[in-house]
Amino acid sequence: MKKLIVIMCIALVACATPKECCSQNFKKYFKFATFYAAANGGNSISDIDVFSVTNGLETVTVETPYDYNLALGIRKIARFGYENRASTFYDGTEESWSDGANVGKVRGLEFLFEVDYKRQQGNEYLDQHHFIRFVDDKYILKGEYLEDGFADIKYVEMSERYRYKVNDKLSFNAGLAQRLSEPYGYDPLAEWMRSNGNIHYTYLALQEGYNVDVAASEYFSPGGELVATSKEVWEEVVIPTMLADYTERKRNELDQIIQHSVVFGFDYYHYTKSFWSHAWANLMPYHLDEGSDYSYHKYEGNQWLDYNGGLILGYKVNKSLGTFVEGKYNKYWNREWYDFKFGVNYVIF
């Protein structure tokens, strides 16, 4: 994966950069770029007392460790007119939804590389967002790697598009996209059930190394730890955990696959001090079926629509009153992740 990202970056820079520039100082590409490293943290949800009367009254306090976010990144992206730096330093908590647009504020090369190690309400996960794009009046080249641990999505995407500018505000684009990802749509549990005649999941647990002492009503993990002393706990707690571990392991055993798609998109940007509108969208209506055993065509049965888009609106009614709407939405391989916000501001003079 890391090698692919490096190749992606080199290829985009090489294709987009005029040949006479190749011998110039490398500093040119990083001029006005910002490197940042930051740590943020705070308390999580408060401790919870859990009561049990199985063997008399027992109280267990569930403690959730503090939340944190460790961010490391470098970015070179021109800000749109509606984007203002709220603070002096980048601290890794910024959200610039316009990064998802196909074209930036300026022509030329822009990039973002950011890694976030997070813990939220006791759950640890990794977020990564890297992209490099070159925008010209006639074409767009972009490479992107996204890993969203909260949404459970991870892929590399490359796209090469012809761009048609209607005017300085509106442009359309069309081209090809290639995405490298795990075989989304593959269901290890459905495959296991088909292979054995749909028997109870306890058999899968035994297959995974769990042990059951029916007479004593004791259930043991593959490491020999006692994990349940009743059928109810076994089926409601242990079995779901085992199924999650099994499906994750089976998916990780498979090689990643490349999906070739046709892509269409548009970008619109209008800005004044009192009103601004920024919208973009992408649609992938056709995907090449190469006949792979784990192709998404096997699970969808036909073609499907993958799409994403964003909308940012702001309107200052007068010196005191203003309103805004912002949102972005993504749907790839029937997996969704999105953000939105809206509100009203009133400044008292």
Side-chain angles (χ1 to χ4, degrees), residues 54-67:
T54 304
N55 298 309
L57 180 60
E58 297 180 351
T59 304
V60 177
T61 300
V62 179
E63 298 180 354
T64 303
Y66 65 91
D67 294 343

Side-chain angles (χ1 to χ4, degrees), residues 97-124:
W97 291 357
S98 62
D99 292 349
N102 300 307
V103 299
K105 180 67 167 59
V106 297
R107 291 175 53 194
L109 182 70
E110 293 186 310
F111 54 80
L112 166 70
F113 298 95
E114 179 170 326
V115 178
D116 294 270
Y117 296 92
K118 297 182 178 181
R119 183 167 66 195
Q120 183 174 343
Q121 296 185 6
N123 297 315
E124 296 182 352

